[in-house]
mmCIF file with all atom_site columns, all heavy atoms in Angstrom:
data_model
loop_
_atom_site.group_PDB
_atom_site.id
_atom_site.type_symbol
_atom_site.label_atom_id
_atom_site.label_alt_id
_atom_site.label_comp_id
_atom_site.label_asym_id
_atom_site.label_entity_id
_atom_site.label_seq_id
_atom_site.pdbx_PDB_ins_code
_atom_site.Cartn_x
_atom_site.Cartn_y
_atom_site.Cartn_z
_atom_site.occupancy
_atom_site.B_iso_or_equiv
_atom_site.pdbx_formal_charge
_atom_site.auth_seq_id
_atom_site.auth_comp_id
_atom_site.auth_asym_id
_atom_site.auth_atom_id
_atom_site.pdbx_PDB_model_num
ATOM 1  N N   . ALA A 1 704 ? 18.091 -5.547  10.861 1.00 90.00 ? 1376 ALA A N   1
ATOM 2  C CA  . ALA A 1 704 ? 18.393 -6.913  11.305 1.00 90.00 ? 1376 ALA A CA  1
ATOM 3  C C   . ALA A 1 704 ? 17.597 -7.938  10.506 1.00 90.00 ? 1376 ALA A C   1
ATOM 4  O O   . ALA A 1 704 ? 18.135 -8.965  10.070 1.00 90.00 ? 1376 ALA A O   1
ATOM 5  C CB  . ALA A 1 704 ? 18.095 -7.045  12.797 1.00 90.00 ? 1376 ALA A CB  1
ATOM 6  N N   . GLU A 1 705 ? 16.313 -7.670  10.297 1.00 92.00 ? 1377 GLU A N   1
ATOM 7  C CA  . GLU A 1 705 ? 15.485 -8.620  9.543  1.00 92.00 ? 1377 GLU A CA  1
ATOM 8  C C   . GLU A 1 705 ? 15.827 -8.584  8.056  1.00 92.00 ? 1377 GLU A C   1
ATOM 9  O O   . GLU A 1 705 ? 15.848 -9.631  7.392  1.00 92.00 ? 1377 GLU A O   1
ATOM 10 C CB  . GLU A 1 705 ? 14.012 -8.308  9.767  1.00 92.00 ? 1377 GLU A CB  1
ATOM 11 C CG  . GLU A 1 705 ? 13.579 -8.531  11.198 1.00 92.00 ? 1377 GLU A CG  1
ATOM 12 C CD  . GLU A 1 705 ? 12.084 -8.316  11.411 1.00 92.00 ? 1377 GLU A CD  1
ATOM 13 O OE1 . GLU A 1 705 ? 11.387 -7.902  10.466 1.00 92.00 ? 1377 GLU A OE1 1
ATOM 14 O OE2 . GLU A 1 705 ? 11.628 -8.551  12.527 1.00 92.00 ? 1377 GLU A OE2 1
ATOM 15 N N   . ALA A 1 706 ? 16.115 -7.393  7.517  1.00 92.00 ? 1378 ALA A N   1
ATOM 16 C CA  . ALA A 1 706 ? 16.489 -7.298  6.109  1.00 92.00 ? 1378 ALA A CA  1
ATOM 17 C C   . ALA A 1 706 ? 17.805 -8.030  5.855  1.00 92.00 ? 1378 ALA A C   1
ATOM 18 O O   . ALA A 1 706 ? 17.985 -8.656  4.799  1.00 92.00 ? 1378 ALA A O   1
ATOM 19 C CB  . ALA A 1 706 ? 16.600 -5.834  5.700  1.00 92.00 ? 1378 ALA A CB  1
ATOM 20 N N   . HIS A 1 707 ? 18.711 -7.985  6.826  1.00 93.00 ? 1379 HIS A N   1
ATOM 21 C CA  . HIS A 1 707 ? 19.986 -8.702  6.696  1.00 93.00 ? 1379 HIS A CA  1
ATOM 22 C C   . HIS A 1 707 ? 19.744 -10.208 6.637  1.00 93.00 ? 1379 HIS A C   1
ATOM 23 O O   . HIS A 1 707 ? 20.381 -10.907 5.836  1.00 93.00 ? 1379 HIS A O   1
ATOM 24 C CB  . HIS A 1 707 ? 20.903 -8.356  7.864  1.00 93.00 ? 1379 HIS A CB  1
ATOM 25 C CG  . HIS A 1 707 ? 22.225 -9.046  7.819  1.00 93.00 ? 1379 HIS A CG  1
ATOM 26 N ND1 . HIS A 1 707 ? 23.174 -8.789  6.853  1.00 93.00 ? 1379 HIS A ND1 1
ATOM 27 C CD2 . HIS A 1 707 ? 22.760 -10.017 8.620  1.00 93.00 ? 1379 HIS A CD2 1
ATOM 28 C CE1 . HIS A 1 707 ? 24.236 -9.554  7.049  1.00 93.00 ? 1379 HIS A CE1 1
ATOM 29 N NE2 . HIS A 1 707 ? 24.010 -10.302 8.116  1.00 93.00 ? 1379 HIS A NE2 1
ATOM 30 N N   . ARG A 1 708 ? 18.809 -10.713 7.437  1.00 93.00 ? 1380 ARG A N   1
ATOM 31 C CA  . ARG A 1 708 ? 18.502 -12.142 7.382  1.00 93.00 ? 1380 ARG A CA  1
ATOM 32 C C   . ARG A 1 708 ? 17.854 -12.511 6.046  1.00 93.00 ? 1380 ARG A C   1
ATOM 33 O O   . ARG A 1 708 ? 18.148 -13.573 5.479  1.00 93.00 ? 1380 ARG A O   1
ATOM 34 C CB  . ARG A 1 708 ? 17.578 -12.517 8.549  1.00 93.00 ? 1380 ARG A CB  1
ATOM 35 C CG  . ARG A 1 708 ? 17.161 -13.985 8.564  1.00 93.00 ? 1380 ARG A CG  1
ATOM 36 C CD  . ARG A 1 708 ? 18.345 -14.930 8.724  1.00 93.00 ? 1380 ARG A CD  1
ATOM 37 N NE  . ARG A 1 708 ? 19.019 -14.748 9.989  1.00 93.00 ? 1380 ARG A NE  1
ATOM 38 C CZ  . ARG A 1 708 ? 18.676 -15.395 11.113 1.00 93.00 ? 1380 ARG A CZ  1
ATOM 39 N NH1 . ARG A 1 708 ? 17.683 -16.267 11.092 1.00 93.00 ? 1380 ARG A NH1 1
ATOM 40 N NH2 . ARG A 1 708 ? 19.343 -15.156 12.218 1.00 93.00 ? 1380 ARG A NH2 1
ATOM 41 N N   . VAL A 1 709 ? 16.999 -11.647 5.533  1.00 94.00 ? 1381 VAL A N   1
ATOM 42 C CA  . VAL A 1 709 ? 16.395 -11.886 4.217  1.00 94.00 ? 1381 VAL A CA  1
ATOM 43 C C   . VAL A 1 709 ? 17.480 -11.958 3.150  1.00 94.00 ? 1381 VAL A C   1
ATOM 44 O O   . VAL A 1 709 ? 17.455 -12.842 2.273  1.00 94.00 ? 1381 VAL A O   1
ATOM 45 C CB  . VAL A 1 709 ? 15.369 -10.778 3.887  1.00 94.00 ? 1381 VAL A CB  1
ATOM 46 C CG1 . VAL A 1 709 ? 14.911 -10.876 2.437  1.00 94.00 ? 1381 VAL A CG1 1
ATOM 47 C CG2 . VAL A 1 709 ? 14.174 -10.866 4.813  1.00 94.00 ? 1381 VAL A CG2 1
ATOM 48 N N   . ASP A 1 710 ? 18.450 -11.056 3.220  1.00 92.00 ? 1382 ASP A N   1
ATOM 49 C CA  . ASP A 1 710 ? 19.553 -11.082 2.258  1.00 92.00 ? 1382 ASP A CA  1
ATOM 50 C C   . ASP A 1 710 ? 20.354 -12.377 2.374  1.00 92.00 ? 1382 ASP A C   1
ATOM 51 O O   . ASP A 1 710 ? 20.767 -12.957 1.357  1.00 92.00 ? 1382 ASP A O   1
ATOM 52 C CB  . ASP A 1 710 ? 20.476 -9.880  2.487  1.00 92.00 ? 1382 ASP A CB  1
ATOM 53 C CG  . ASP A 1 710 ? 19.818 -8.569  2.109  1.00 92.00 ? 1382 ASP A CG  1
ATOM 54 O OD1 . ASP A 1 710 ? 18.879 -8.590  1.284  1.00 92.00 ? 1382 ASP A OD1 1
ATOM 55 O OD2 . ASP A 1 710 ? 20.216 -7.515  2.651  1.00 92.00 ? 1382 ASP A OD2 1
#
Side-chain angles (χ1 to χ4, degrees):
E1377 294 184 355
H1379 180 67
R1380 178 62 63 89
V1381 170
D1382 291 336

